[in-house]
């Protein structure tokens, strides 16, 4: 599924006569073309689809949309499980029942792994 996802503009530069930006989508930073919204500035939020900023968005609307997408699991589908990976890298465990396909959940009580601890 391809979504138009809100992101925050971190930096803007001119590349090959094209206005480009680094945009943060909740920890995932991607290059985005700003040609359709040339008045975007650093700190603004934009709706982005397939690498193109389509429209400016206020911060509250962006936050609400990202929260909704996250609760529906569509951010993971669109960007991969960067949030879960970051939590895992930080040593945090995913809540029970939120494992991805092929990912093992926490060991069952009385399991061999737990017994060796």
């Amino acid at each position: 599924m391809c979504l138009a996802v809100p992101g925050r503009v971190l930096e803007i530069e001119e590349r090959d006569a094209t206005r480009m930006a680094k945009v943060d989508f909740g920890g995932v930073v991607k290059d985005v073309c700003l040609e359709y919204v040339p008045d975007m500035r650093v700190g603004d939020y934009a709706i982005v689809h397939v690498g193109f900023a389509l429209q400016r968005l206020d911060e509250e609307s962006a936050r609400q949309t990202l929260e909704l997408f996250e609760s529906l699991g569509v951010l993971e589908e669109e960007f991969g499980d960067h949030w879960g990976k970051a939590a895992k890298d930080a040593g945090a465990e995913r809540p029970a029942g939120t494992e991805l396909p092929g990912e093992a959940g926490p060991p069952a009580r009385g399991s061999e792994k737990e017994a060796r601890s």
Side-chain angles (χ1 to χ4, degrees):
M1 174 191 324
C2 288
L3 297 173
V5 180
R8 184 171 179 267
V9 176
L10 300 176
E11 53 185 76
I12 298 173
E13 66 182 1
E14 193 83 15
R15 266 193 247 152
D16 298 322
T18 303
R19 196 155 186 258
M20 298 293 292
K22 297 257 185 229
V23 177
D24 179 13
F25 301 94
V28 177
V29 177
K30 301 240 181 206
D31 288 331
V32 171
C33 178
L34 298 180
E35 290 297 306
Y36 296 142
V37 281
D39 57 338
M40 292 293 294
R41 295 201 158 103
V42 171
D44 287 348
Y45 286 82
I47 294 289
V48 178
H49 180 63
V50 293
F52 290 87
L54 302 176
Q55 172 182 340
R56 179 179 283 107
L57 186 65
D58 65 273
E59 184 175 359
E60 180 61 19
S61 296
R63 186 188 61 74
Q64 289 175 355
T65 302
L66 286 170
E67 285 176 4
L68 175 63
F69 284 177
E70 185 173 12
S71 72
L72 295 172
V74 293
L75 290 178
E76 183 178 304
E77 184 176 321
E78 190 72 10
F79 295 115
D81 187 27
H82 298 280
W83 290 271
K85 181 183 181 316
K88 189 175 181 180
D89 291 347
E93 289 187 25
R94 296 173 71 94
T98 63
E99 297 80 21
L100 296 173
E103 183 178 60
R109 293 204 181 269
S111 71
E112 180 180 305
K113 186 176 180 180
E114 190 177 76
R116 285 186 272 159
S117 301

